[in-house]
Amino acid sequence: MGWVAALWGLVGLSFILAMPMYRLGLVGVDALSFTLSWYHWLFLILWCGFMAFGEGYRGFQQSFSPRAAARLVYLRAHPTPLRLLLAPLFCMGFFHIQRKRMLITYAVTLMIIAMVQLVGLLAQPWRGLVDLGVSLGLAWGLISLLIFTVQAFTRPDYAHSPETP
């Protein structure tokens, strides 16, 4: 049951990252069909750089992905029916995690929901330019998750904590 839970956690989490990456990427590509001025291009370059560093590197590569991979390994070793059923949410840290991390997870999720609502109010091409940066960050996150997952399952010296209570 442990391997099934871990596999479901990885597939589900990958889907959670890949679907918005794809949908936002389509909106972003649509924005590129508009006549863009120099300030649109400047914004796009700066925004993509910011999102690659802030969301991709700092958010995913340095924090979320190593922890999610460690939680996949933990899930394989400690499966329960609830963890099996909700494996992607378990890997994201929505339950059975240290209280501080759980509060951060819920706060970040609420912030993301609010930002999605606000960005949805933007007109093209601005919305698409913002979405391209977010899509880049999500792509970085998905790739880093897959790399850390391979490391977590193949290296006995994988040092990241699943932050379980």
Side-chain angles (χ1 to χ4, degrees), residues 70-130:
R71 290 178 71 78
L72 284 166
V73 172
Y74 182 88
L75 184 59
R76 183 195 64 189
H78 304 94
T80 66
L82 181 65
R83 290 182 199 149
L84 171 62
L85 180 65
L86 302 175
L89 299 177
F90 171 80
C91 294
M92 292 174 72
F94 281 103
F95 65 96
H96 194 70
I97 196 164
Q98 296 169 354
R99 180 170 166 73
K100 179 182 175 185
R101 176 57 60 190
M102 187 181 344
L103 293 174
I104 291 170
T105 299
Y106 280 95
V108 167
T109 301
L110 290 174
M111 184 188 72
I112 290 170
I113 291 169
M115 293 303 293
V116 166
Q117 297 302 313
L118 289 173
V119 170
L121 299 174
L122 294 174
Q124 282 286 39
W126 293 107
R127 178 180 175 191
L129 299 178
V130 169

Side-chain angles (χ1 to χ4, degrees), residues 4 16 23 25-26 34 37 50 52-54 58 72 75 89 95 109 112 120 127 129 132 135 141 145 155 157 161:
V4 172
I16 288 170
R23 288 193 321 261
L26 291 177
F34 285 74
S37 299
F50 173 77
F53 179 75
R58 297 274 304 182
L72 284 166
L75 184 59
L89 299 177
F95 65 96
T109 301
I112 290 170
R127 178 180 175 191
L129 299 178
L132 279 174
S135 188
L145 173 67
R155 289 187 178 171
D157 63 338
S161 169

Side-chain angles (χ1 to χ4, degrees), residues 9-15 17 60-61 64-70 72 91 138-152 158:
L10 179 61
V11 169
L13 189 50
S14 296
F15 186 76
L17 296 175
F60 279 107
Q61 186 175 333
F64 179 84
S65 296
R67 182 177 53 256
L72 284 166
C91 294
L138 289 170
W140 191 312
L142 180 57
I143 292 167
S144 70
L145 173 67
L146 297 174
I147 291 169
F148 278 108
T149 299
V150 168
Q151 291 176 355
Y158 188 77

